[in-house]
Amino acid sequence: MIEDLIPSVVEPFLPIAEQFAHQGAITGLKRFGNGNINDTFLVTLDDPSQTCFVLQRINTRVFHNPRHVMSNMVTLTEHIHQKLTQEPVAPGSVRRWEMPRVVMTKAHQDHWSSGNGDYWRAISYIEGSESFDTLQTPTQAEEVGYALGRFHHLLCDLAPDRLVDTLPGFHITPQYLSQYQRVLSQVESLGSKPHSLEIQHCLDFIGDRQTWCAVLENAKQKRKLPLRLTHGDPKVNNIMFDRTSGKAVSIVDLDTAKPGLIHYDLGDCLRSGCNLLGEETDNWQAVTFEPELCQAILKGYLTQASQFFTEHDYFYLIDAARVIAFELGLRFFTDYLAGNVYFKTKYPEHNLARALVQFQLTASIEAQTQTLAALIGDLQKVKKDD
Ligand code: GN1
Ligand code: MG
């Protein structure tokens, strides 16, 4: 029965899904994924040539110019689709690699706006794929690294200025620090947040890292790290795995693609991939950064990155993981202090709990600097010997 597959809470969105359903009838509509920003739905169709697509309401409080988000997505996916025809996967290989496509409306638009200003778009679903919130094995981790490396490789000949900066300040850690300081001074002047032990821990943790946290931006200014095209949000659950072969097949969630440092991406991939408990765990004190998974992610990444990866790129790898974990903790904590205005939350202390997880991960990276430096040195040596 159709009704069973379209829960009544999402029924109001059915007419919107219809705008993008070119062939076949809609047989299902449900909320999809764990995104913290946009509202995402999976729409299923009774059409064998396209069994489903992803429908999203773009959060316009975060993405002020959704038209640019869409034009970036079209530029990027067209470039990659073109390049994939020039570099097909070896015949007989079990590996496939696909990029999502923008699904146009029946009126040939890349989005649909409702009368109330909501901005909707649809993207193809990678058939036969699945994603994971946490990684468990080095084999999976290597695939995640491969996927990010493949994405960077496919974009390395598209000029960074071909994409618009849709989120100014995104991953510029010192700007998040300034924002935190502003919010903190407002909260302190209102006297509205009592300092629990956990809050005090966050305040001290940030305070101790204020000078260091500009490390990637400093490297950018000194031209040690160049601007390149980045994904912006390559956390592990944005990597799709082929359900049959277990190999990475795609990287999705392209809203944040823009010019930046590939170290933002490497850091995000490492901080999400090497945390076995995941970013939503309640047990923040047990969170650790797993060097074995880090090694596997980098190994997979470097199989694809040899064309563009430099000595400086290696040098800033540990800082990348440490900064992006710290930065996300800072963003969550700032949002908690500000009253949960940016990230979706399920309970009032949710962003505080998330911040504690990311700070614990940062601390675990710091405690293992020597181990991480040794494993990166080994990977670099393998590359030189090749
Ligand atoms: C947000 O919406 P989602 O879940 O794809 C955020 C990322 C964070 C991530 C943490 C535009 O991504 O930067 O790393 O949450 N996206 C934006 O889960 O702020
Ligand atoms: Mg995202």
Side-chain angles (χ1 to χ4, degrees), residues 130-271:
E130 62 186 333
S131 66
F132 307 102
D133 285 334
T134 54
L135 298 180
Q136 301 301 331
T137 67
T139 310
Q140 279 179 330
E142 205 170 319
E143 285 301 309
V144 161
Y146 166 88
L148 183 61
R150 181 111 177 99
F151 181 78
H152 285 166
H153 164 76
L154 288 165
L155 287 180
C156 73
D157 56 347
L158 183 65
D161 62 6
R162 290 287 308 282
L163 297 194
V164 183
D165 188 347
T166 47
L167 273 177
F170 192 53
H171 291 313
I172 312 290
T173 316
Q175 288 192 24
Y176 291 111
L177 186 66
S178 308
Q179 190 188 1
Y180 157 75
Q181 283 158 344
R182 271 196 309 278
V183 170
L184 186 63
S185 66
Q186 283 162 7
V187 173
E188 277 177 345
S189 66
L190 292 172
S192 57
K193 295 270 177 200
H195 286 191
S196 66
L197 282 179
E198 289 175 335
I199 292 177
Q200 193 57 50
H201 171 67
C202 292
L203 295 170
D204 294 342
F205 197 88
I206 297 166
D208 290 345
R209 288 158 184 80
Q210 292 188 69
T211 314
W212 155 79
C213 78
V215 58
L216 293 183
E217 294 315 305
N218 292 342
K220 185 166 79 183
Q221 303 264 272
K222 290 184 189 146
R223 298 185 186 278
K224 291 183 175 168
L225 298 178
L227 269 192
R228 294 162 165 141
L229 284 179
T230 61
H231 179 285
D233 187 17
K235 57 180 173 183
V236 287
N237 62 10
N238 280 331
I239 311 295
M240 305 306 294
F241 286 79
D242 185 304
R243 282 181 190 274
T244 311
S245 69
K247 299 212 174 290
V249 64
S250 189
I251 182 164
V252 298
D253 190 6
L254 305 173
D255 290 328
T256 45
K258 67 186 199 98
L261 298 182
I262 56 170
H263 287 64
Y264 305 151
D265 281 356
L266 283 158
D268 200 47
C269 194
L270 291 170
R271 67 123 199 114

Side-chain angles (χ1 to χ4, degrees), residues 23-34:
Q23 292 163 33
I26 295 177
T27 54
L29 175 64
K30 62 173 184 187
R31 287 210 176 254
F32 187 59
N34 304 321

Side-chain angles (χ1 to χ4, degrees), residues 20 53-56 70 101-103 110 120-124:
F20 298 90
F53 64 85
V54 176
L55 177 70
Q56 284 188 308
M70 292 314 291
R101 289 179 188 273
V102 175
V103 178
D110 61 19
W120 293 83
R121 59 98 191 279
I123 299 162
S124 64

